[in-house]
Amino acid sequence: METTARLKLDMLGCRFGDRWVVRDVSLELFAGQVTCLLGPSGCGKSTTLRIAAGVETPTVGSVHIDGDLVADAHHSRPPETRGIGMMFQDFALFPHLTVLQNVAFGLKERKRERHDRAGELLAKVGLKGFEDKYPHQMSGGEQQRVALARALAPRPRVMLMDEPFSGLDNRLRDEIRDETLEILKDEETAVLLVTHEPDEAMRMADQIALMRAGRIVQMGAPYNIYNNPVDAEAAAFFSDINVIHGVVRDFQTDTPFGQFLTPNLVNDADVEIIIRPQHLKMDFDRQGSGPLPTPQDGVAARGAVERARFMGSESIIELAMDHDGSMLKATIPGVFLPKRGTPLWLSLRRDRCFVFPCKAQSRVNDPYLR
């Protein structure tokens, strides 16, 4: 088993003029591992990828590939000397070359060996028999497969991918992503994938690095990062959330759903209690027709249906709560479309709630902004 990281980013920072776009980014990627840089547009994830590729030079920090220093603030090896593969939103296939010639382009072996390697990869991506076609004769999904085969042809130990599936329709995107992941794992390639789509990161990644304002704010396996968000903003990035506001009194916070223990927060602190829509329970009365609520469900609170929509696999119900008129959203599998104004009682799973202090807005202590 390899112990040296295929790709290591160490405290990377990148500044354009007076603005830091990447700050204190550290990552390690190993053979066969897919790491997703996930975050909204403009958070610095593509710049991080470009630094790893050699297209940008870091202002601070360093990049190592297979233990060798390839970039720091003083020097940067060109991309073609780093032994990495790259895939971007634009497939960038050569229109005047056949599929086989596109895949073999850039290989250093003799002609027969280039031909064999290209043919092997085309078969692996399901394009056997397409060797003599030209890119314009192929669909978007087929062109995506050619781009993947070409990127893998030189046997890169690291693959850098920047939103490579964004141009495909949803159904085809899932199919191509799954095929791509299987091939990359089979080749034991270390992958750094940039995406702004949480579903894509959850589907593909062994490890997710959630970025915000140039920094990695949370990193971990998809299950852990989804179920243990670092703050309300991280929770909201992965799904719809409901936010219930409260104030700490004697290490407890009163809510319409009963008291929440908040032992690590000082008195008078403003807190946000986060609950995802699928973790709210709905009943037509306080007890409902099923088992009585358990202690972890807390106190039930009543609201009136504002709107209900069927989304295919689930129904989304929005309710105006009696206690303050605030809106809460709940989901339920299948078809459930109560009329507007229907009273319903909500209870919540306390073990599925997240309690966070309200975020301070001041950033004066950020050294990068001085």
Side-chain angles (χ1 to χ4, degrees):
M1 181 177 176
E2 293 186 16
T3 56
T4 301
R6 291 276 182 89
L7 174 66
K8 180 180 179 181
L9 311 180
D10 188 16
M11 296 299 290
L12 283 186
C14 184
R15 182 174 62 190
F16 296 144
D18 294 331
R19 187 170 70 96
W20 287 88
V21 294
V22 174
R23 306 185 269 182
D24 301 333
V25 169
S26 295
L27 282 173
E28 288 189 333
L29 277 70
F30 294 88
Q33 179 187 51
V34 178
T35 296
C36 280
L37 280 178
L38 174 66
S41 297
C43 72
K45 56 189 186 296
S46 289
T47 300
T48 301
L49 195 80
R50 289 165 64 85
I51 293 172
V55 180
E56 299 286 353
T57 301
T59 306
V60 295
S62 60
V63 178
H64 294 78
I65 294 178
D66 291 327
D68 295 330
L69 177 67
V70 298
D72 59 19
H74 308 292
H75 85 290
S76 180
R77 282 192 207 167
E80 62 271 16
T81 67
R82 297 192 178 194
I84 56 176
M86 292 182 281
M87 289 183 65
F88 300 99
Q89 297 176 35
D90 181 358
F91 305 145
L93 301 177
F94 298 112
H96 62 289
L97 298 182
T98 66
V99 166
L100 187 72
Q101 290 168 336
N102 264 283
V103 176
F105 185 84
L107 293 179
K108 307 300 183 184
E109 294 91 344
R110 290 177 297 183
K111 183 176 180 179
R112 172 48 57 186
E113 292 169 338
R114 295 201 306 269
H115 184 280
D116 290 347
R117 174 63 173 165
E120 170 197 338
L121 285 168
L122 286 172
K124 188 172 281 190
V125 299
L127 292 178
K128 185 176 178 60
F130 285 69
E131 291 84 354
D132 296 326
K133 284 194 173 186
Y134 287 87
H136 72 272
Q137 298 174 311
M138 309 179 76
S139 68
E142 290 165 347
Q143 291 183 34
Q144 175 72 48
R145 290 182 172 100
V146 175
L148 173 62
R150 186 180 64 181
L152 287 170
R155 295 181 174 85
R157 292 168 65 78
V158 177
M159 179 73 77
L160 306 177
M161 310 174 79
D162 192 356
E163 307 272 8
F165 310 108
S166 60
L168 304 175
D169 65 73
N170 288 341
R171 181 176 294 181
L172 182 60
R173 188 183 308 164
D174 289 345
E175 178 185 340
I176 298 294
R177 279 192 299 217
D178 290 347
E179 290 176 357
T180 298
L181 183 60
E182 183 178 346
I183 292 167
L184 291 168
K185 293 279 190 181
D186 186 54
E187 294 273 327
E188 294 191 340
T189 307
V191 180
L192 184 60
L193 170 68
V194 161
T195 182
H196 66 275
E197 297 184 11
D199 288 348
E200 182 164 83
M202 296 284 287
R203 189 182 189 106
M204 294 195 70
D206 301 300
Q207 175 179 250
I208 294 174
L210 182 61
M211 289 192 73
R212 188 189 307 149
R215 286 193 174 99
I216 293 175
V217 296
Q218 189 172 7
M219 186 157 54
Y223 176 87
N224 292 329
I225 205 169
Y226 181 88
N227 288 292
N228 298 287
V230 68
D231 56 26
E233 197 170 342
F237 199 80
F238 286 91
S239 72
D240 286 343
I241 61 170
N242 295 297
V243 182
I244 302 167
H245 293 279
V247 179
V248 177
R249 296 282 188 268
D250 296 326
F251 308 112
Q252 297 184 100
T253 300
D254 285 324
T255 79
F257 298 95
Q259 288 187 326
F260 278 73
L261 292 174
T262 46
N264 297 321
L265 298 172
V266 299
N267 274 340
D268 299 323
D270 294 323
V271 298
E272 296 174 325
I273 298 170
I274 308 299
I275 180 74
R276 292 192 165 107
Q278 65 267 32
H279 296 141
L280 282 171
K281 295 183 179 181
M282 286 182 290
D283 287 308
F284 284 100
D285 53 54
R286 286 180 184 269
Q287 284 76 40
S289 57
L292 293 176
T294 63
Q296 71 175 2
D297 292 336
V299 177
R302 200 179 78 160
V305 174
E306 281 290 317
R307 62 184 64 87
R309 292 166 289 165
F310 177 59
M311 302 300 292
S313 60
E314 64 183 13
S315 298
I316 301 175
I317 297 90
E318 295 178 59
L319 301 101
M321 303 307 294
D322 287 359
H323 68 281
D324 62 358
S326 64
M327 299 294 295
L328 293 181
K329 185 183 295 184
T331 60
I332 188 168
V335 183
F336 179 59
L337 300 174
K339 293 181 179 179
R340 189 172 189 268
T342 301
L344 292 173
W345 292 88
L346 293 183
S347 57
L348 50 77
R349 287 280 304 272
R350 287 173 177 262
D351 60 333
R352 296 300 182 94
C353 291
F354 311 114
V355 181
F356 300 112
C358 289
K359 260 193 168 180
Q361 299 300 309
S362 173
R363 297 167 66 197
V364 295
N365 292 323
D366 189 337
Y368 285 95
L369 299 180
R370 292 177 182 171

